[in-house]
Amino acid sequence: MTPSLKKTYLNIARCKDCPDLRTDCWARGEGNPTADIVLIGESPGQVEASKHRPFVGPAGRLLRKTLKQAGIPVEAVYLTNVVKCWPQNKDLLTDTHAQKCARFLHFELKQVQPDLVVCLGRFAFESLIHEPVEHMADFDKIWLQRRILGLDRKVNVCLMYHPAAALRHKPYLDAFREQMEWLSRQWEWGTGNLQDLSFEKVIFSRSII
Ligand code: URA
């Protein structure tokens, strides 16, 4: 953990900006501080919030297992969430929470400097890209190159299924696995290079929840 990430995690622990969330129950980011790929979820669940670590509950275990099965070493990537505190009820999460928490994600992305940001589910995608998924899906474009918060250059951003959705619905699980396998094939492991993804592409034409 770099000193700058450590400072960000201390600030997450101290933040009380959203009194309607459990601000005593939070999860920081975790993983390779210079990862080429950052995966971003919505907010921690109860297990994550009690351990202060992202993606360590049931959905997180599925994510970690699927990454591994696809040949993506989990220790090579960086995992985090848009909102760092446990909402207790995910339906309560709003754009305001995402906006208030954005500075932490901003610092994490600035520090890690990824080449690819994987948004797990629509909340993460819409918080970063500020365009509704429906609009994106109209064009079947869920692989984009955008300037996003924390980065002063364009970065690859893609949208994939959230592992919690994959846990609930078998068709999403199949699609989630397929997406991770696809991602792994695009990555030249050992060289640190994404294959030619320098333009916007149609990748997965299925609709994403
Ligand atoms: N769901 C998320 O979006 N993030 C986590 O860390 C765990 C579950």
Side-chain angles (χ1 to χ4, degrees), residues 10 22 43 86 89 91-92 103 107-108 117 124-125 128 155 161 170 179 187 193 199 203 206:
L10 282 174
R22 284 287 302 270
S43 61
W86 180 40
N89 174 357
D91 294 339
L92 298 179
R103 68 183 188 280
F107 283 128
E108 289 175 293
V117 172
F125 187 82
L128 255 80
V155 66
Y161 280 93
K170 176 79 169 69
Q179 290 177 336
W187 196 258
N193 290 328
F199 53 91
I203 308 290
R206 261 178 284 239

Side-chain angles (χ1 to χ4, degrees), residues 20-202:
D20 55 331
L21 303 185
R22 284 287 302 270
T23 52
D24 54 331
C25 296
W26 48 270
R28 55 177 169 73
E30 171 175 297
N32 180 351
T34 58
D36 296 316
I37 303 180
V38 170
L39 294 105
I40 305 179
E42 188 176 292
S43 61
Q46 188 167 14
V47 180
E48 285 80 13
S50 66
K51 298 188 175 168
H52 303 314
R53 295 178 57 204
F55 292 107
V56 287
R61 284 198 295 277
L62 175 66
L63 172 64
R64 288 167 189 266
K65 186 172 124 194
T66 310
L67 283 169
K68 192 173 166 199
Q69 284 171 342
I72 302 176
V74 73
E75 55 285 356
V77 302
Y78 186 87
L79 303 171
T80 192
N81 285 296
V82 173
V83 174
K84 308 300 193 220
C85 287
W86 180 40
Q88 289 183 281
N89 174 357
K90 293 227 178 191
D91 294 339
L92 298 179
L93 275 186
T94 63
D95 289 350
T96 309
H97 297 120
Q99 280 157 20
K100 284 189 180 173
C101 223
R103 68 183 188 280
F104 300 126
L105 190 55
H106 175 128
F107 283 128
E108 289 175 293
L109 291 171
K110 195 170 171 177
Q111 173 69 31
V112 178
Q113 291 287 327
D115 289 326
L116 170 64
V117 172
V118 178
C119 299
L120 296 168
R122 72 159 66 209
F123 186 81
F125 187 82
E126 292 179 351
S127 301
L128 255 80
I129 300 295
H130 306 296
E131 281 175 57
V133 167
E134 284 82 4
H135 172 72
M136 312 306 305
D138 282 343
F139 299 95
D140 282 345
K141 279 182 186 162
I142 54 168
W143 187 289
L144 313 162
Q145 293 210 316
R146 291 289 161 88
R147 276 175 87 113
I148 54 170
L149 79 173
L151 299 171
D152 52 12
R153 61 186 161 84
K154 281 191 175 178
V155 66
N156 293 290
V157 183
C158 72
L159 169 61
M160 293 195 179
Y161 280 93
H162 192 288
L167 267 185
R168 283 195 298 267
H169 304 284
K170 176 79 169 69
Y172 295 153
L173 175 61
D174 295 340
F176 178 65
R177 286 194 177 127
E178 230 176 84
Q179 290 177 336
M180 290 299 166
E181 281 160 14
W182 180 88
L183 179 61
S184 181
R185 285 197 298 278
Q186 306 316 306
W187 196 258
E188 293 175 49
W189 292 105
T191 66
N193 290 328
L194 272 176
Q195 291 182 11
D196 181 18
L197 294 168
S198 52
F199 53 91
E200 295 198 355
K201 278 191 170 187
V202 176

